Amino acid sequence: MDPNGVLASGELLKWTNYILGWQVRYFKLARDGYISYSLSKEDSMGTKGSIKIDKMILQLHKQSEVRFDIVTPSVTWYLRSYTPLDRDTWTGIIEKQREVLPMSISREGSVLLLAQSSLEVLSDLNIKLDELNSFKDSLSQQLSEIRSTLNHESPKLKQKLATIQATVSGIVATSTNCIEMFNEREQYWQDQIAVEKEKSQKLEILYSATNRENTELIKHNAPQGPHLNEDEFFDAIEETLDKMDNLEEKLQNLEVEVKKPDTSSDKKDHRMYNQMQELINKYVELSKQDPEAEPSWQCLSKSGVTKIYRKEEEKDGVLLDYLVATTTVEGVTAAEMSEVFHNGKLKLEWDHTIEADKKLETLDDYCAVYHQILKRVWPTAQRDLVYASHKQRLDIPGEHPSWIVCNVSCDHPSVPEGTSGYTRATIEVVLFCQTVCDKTDPTRKDVSCKIVYSASVNPGGWAPASAVRAISQREYPKFLKKIATFAIDHVKKSEIKY
């Protein structure tokens, strides 16, 4: 035992709230019967809460082997251990210590819990009362027979027999009174249940009405999500994105059969072509600039070969703000990387933020319009996109062909904005790919792809601008790593394509 009187101590996960979720806390069980917790073992600020274990109810979770709750009339701790063995150890020590503490009325549960259990056992009590009455009648008959047999014995013995019979009658009468009290209590709780059901029905009606109002608000681009401050908003988004990242890591081990991309001729007469050419020209010029040499570029972060830059410039009286990432991927060409990014079926295999992706219209062999539904990131509303994805080959004399993919939001009559039930986001995303290879007969080890990536996203609805920029800066490197890993694995056994 600890010299300070601590019977057990260690880390458990405690549910805090819907923004921060499960958080690690350091718990102690003292010999005096108090269980308490602090932020960490080294926390000098003292305990954040404590409960006397003889005044609580210990509940084990039915669906989880690591969950258990500590319940009192005023507070509930929702706890989770790292392993089932840890849970058994903690609950075992708590129960053992409760046995040596003085009995407390609240140790057996609150009045509410007793009242709830009374509803379940009431029918059994009525059965036992009938049995008790039968035993009373049988005992009364037996006492009468004994009294008639001992008719000539002393009056004192007869008096004792009468006392026994009166005692039995008193027991039955008291039991009857107890059942009547249970009946009254049952009626009380049934009345309470009826009141709660009525409240529940009203809430369901109110919820349905509110849900309809929210749908109408979505149609008119009303602000979405709870009004959290920027720190709370960013923390909630980060937590959900981390969960998605964990899911992606698990899915990376799955083997998926992939169809080869289509390589047909390009057309130049669809309605999005001119807009795409303007965007391509802008980013081709941008890719020729050297961010390391030009003072207008600011390097925000650097991780290995991946760098993120920001540039602000004024053009025609409009302030343009670019957030651009650059990296190099070994063993992949520009044509192969652009196909992984452009091909809708391949995208579903590596981009797990997408819930559904449907092609609405084919504009030409290298351009199509898609309707994409994104997975919801709490606390924001669920988003969707309607965009045209255009891929184009750029021939540069003396070099391998470069490829560029542009994804630009557009309208489509089959999914008008405000009718899909989602908040419509808009995007302008460009992936510029350039093959780097100086050998005439290269292998996979001799080729690489230089990438310039930029994404301008307006999430629609309500979202702090600073949080959107911070999340974009955080997601750029993860996105490039994700698509690069998939592309390398996708092409490693195929012939090199330029």
Side-chain angles (χ1 to χ4, degrees):
M1 173 187 156
D2 189 283
N4 296 322
V6 177
L7 294 175
S9 63
E11 290 183 348
L12 292 170
L13 295 169
K14 181 178 180 292
W15 177 260
T16 54
N17 52 56
Y18 282 99
I19 294 177
L20 298 179
W22 294 96
Q23 296 291 317
V24 177
R25 298 290 183 259
Y26 189 77
F27 285 79
K28 293 181 181 179
L29 175 62
R31 181 174 284 276
D32 61 3
Y34 280 92
I35 183 170
S36 59
Y37 75 92
S38 54
L39 295 181
S40 65
K41 185 177 181 179
E42 296 78 16
D43 187 11
S44 60
M45 301 300 291
T47 62
K48 298 298 181 181
S50 63
I51 293 176
K52 191 73 178 295
I53 61 175
D54 66 339
K55 298 183 181 298
M56 73 179 200
I57 296 173
L58 195 61
Q59 293 182 344
L60 303 183
H61 204 274
K62 295 181 179 179
Q63 282 77 37
S64 173
E65 295 181 349
V66 296
R67 279 282 312 280
F68 65 100
D69 304 333
I70 292 178
V71 183
T72 72
S74 59
V75 67
T76 298
W77 291 353
Y78 302 99
L79 305 176
R80 193 172 74 187
S81 62
Y82 290 110
T83 66
L85 180 60
D86 289 344
R87 185 185 78 166
D88 294 342
T89 301
W90 272 101
T91 55
I93 294 174
I94 292 173
E95 290 291 1
K96 185 176 181 180
Q97 185 63 11
R98 277 154 60 102
E99 292 175 359
V100 303
L101 293 174
M103 179 64 72
S104 170
I105 293 175
S106 60
R107 186 169 149 188
E108 297 302 321
S110 65
V111 175
L112 177 60
L113 294 176
L114 288 174
Q116 291 174 339
S117 62
S118 70
L119 297 176
E120 299 174 359
V121 302
L122 188 61
S123 59
D124 293 336
L125 288 173
N126 283 315
I127 294 174
K128 294 300 179 183
L129 180 61
D130 292 338
E131 293 178 359
L132 193 60
N133 276 315
S134 298
F135 285 129
K136 186 204 83 166
D137 294 339
S138 177
L139 184 58
S140 297
Q141 183 179 354
Q142 292 171 10
L143 289 173
S144 298
E145 292 175 356
I146 293 174
R147 190 164 48 191
S148 61
T149 302
L150 301 175
N151 218 7
H152 302 292
E153 299 296 330
S154 65
K156 191 173 183 180
L157 182 58
K158 291 181 179 180
Q159 185 179 358
K160 288 183 177 182
L161 290 173
T163 301
I164 292 173
Q165 189 172 14
T167 300
V168 172
S169 298
I171 291 173
V172 174
T174 302
S175 300
T176 303
N177 290 336
C178 289
I179 297 298
E180 291 174 354
M181 292 173 65
F182 270 108
N183 281 325
E184 292 175 0
R185 199 63 178 167
E186 179 196 24
Q187 186 60 46
Y188 168 78
W189 286 112
Q190 286 180 344
D191 292 343
Q192 290 295 104
I193 290 173
V195 171
E196 293 300 323
K197 284 184 177 179
E198 184 179 355
K199 289 181 180 179
S200 177
Q201 291 174 351
K202 290 181 179 179
L203 285 173
E204 288 178 1
I205 295 172
L206 180 61
Y207 171 78
S208 299
T210 305
N211 196 33
R212 288 194 297 269
E213 292 176 4
N214 286 341
T215 302
E216 292 299 320
L217 287 174
I218 290 174
K219 293 179 180 179
H220 294 86
N221 289 326
Q224 299 296 318
H227 292 281
L228 309 176
N229 62 45
E230 292 190 5
D231 289 339
E232 293 173 330
F233 183 92
F234 186 75
D235 288 342
I237 295 250
E238 279 225 313
E239 182 184 0
T240 307
L241 291 174
D242 287 339
K243 291 179 180 178
M244 289 184 177
D245 291 342
N246 293 334
L247 176 61
E248 290 172 14
E249 290 178 4
K250 295 178 181 178
L251 292 176
Q252 282 177 0
N253 298 324
L254 297 177
E255 296 183 358
V256 183
E257 182 181 353
V258 181
K259 294 184 178 180
K260 294 184 178 180
D262 181 21
T263 55
S264 309
S265 60
D266 191 12
K267 297 180 182 178
K268 299 183 179 181
D269 56 357
H270 62 75
R271 65 178 183 276
M272 297 291 296
Y273 185 80
N274 291 335
Q275 181 180 351
M276 292 297 185
Q277 294 309 305
E278 292 179 5
L279 190 62
I280 288 171
N281 292 335
K282 179 174 71 173
Y283 277 92
V284 166
E285 290 301 317
L286 204 64
S287 68
K288 294 178 181 178
Q289 299 180 18
D290 184 2
E292 298 290 343
E294 297 191 21
S296 59
W297 289 93
Q298 176 189 2
C299 185
L300 300 180
S301 67
K302 179 179 179 181
S303 177
V305 296
T306 302
K307 300 177 183 179
I308 298 179
Y309 299 95
R310 182 183 182 186
K311 179 181 181 179
E312 291 184 351
E313 66 177 11
E314 186 175 341
K315 187 175 182 180
D316 300 330
V318 178
L319 182 63
L320 303 177
D321 187 1
Y322 300 101
L323 193 65
V324 176
T326 64
T327 192
T328 300
V329 182
E330 302 293 336
V332 182
T333 66
E336 293 164 340
M337 180 61 72
S338 63
E339 177 63 19
V340 168
F341 183 71
H342 174 69
N343 189 299
K345 293 181 180 179
L346 292 181
K347 183 175 289 188
L348 288 174
E349 295 181 33
W350 60 265
D351 191 349
H352 302 292
T353 63
I354 301 173
E355 184 173 291
D357 191 63
K358 180 182 179 182
K359 182 186 287 188
L360 301 179
E361 182 182 358
T362 299
L363 300 180
D364 64 29
D365 294 327
Y366 287 93
C367 189
V369 178
Y370 295 88
H371 179 219
Q372 192 175 95
I373 300 173
L374 304 176
K375 292 179 181 177
R376 188 186 179 201
V377 179
W378 195 94
T380 65
Q382 192 168 12
R383 262 68 178 169
D384 72 341
L385 305 166
V386 176
Y387 68 96
S389 182
H390 174 84
K391 184 177 73 166
Q392 186 168 322
R393 171 174 167 161
L394 305 174
D395 292 317
I396 302 174
E399 297 183 8
H400 291 290
S402 296
W403 288 82
I404 190 168
V405 180
C406 303
N407 293 343
V408 181
S409 288
C410 62
D411 296 324
H412 198 273
S414 65
V415 193
E417 184 176 357
T419 61
S420 61
Y422 306 100
T423 298
R424 181 64 53 85
T426 57
I427 60 170
E428 182 181 284
V429 180
V430 176
L431 184 78
F432 177 79
C433 306
Q434 184 178 9
T435 300
V436 179
C437 179
D438 56 4
K439 292 190 177 183
T440 56
D441 189 19
T443 65
R444 281 286 171 198
K445 295 180 180 179
D446 301 320
V447 299
S448 62
C449 179
K450 180 182 176 182
I451 294 176
V452 177
Y453 172 76
S454 177
S456 175
V457 180
N458 179 358
W462 177 86
S466 59
V468 173
R469 174 166 290 281
I471 291 168
S472 297
Q473 183 176 336
R474 171 186 183 271
E475 289 300 300
Y476 270 28
K478 294 169 64 177
F479 161 79
L480 292 174
K481 181 180 178 181
K482 184 165 50 179
I483 189 174
T485 302
F486 179 85
I488 292 170
D489 184 68
H490 178 64
V491 303
K492 63 183 178 182
K493 296 182 180 179
S494 61
E495 295 182 359
I496 299 176
K497 297 178 182 179
Y498 297 101

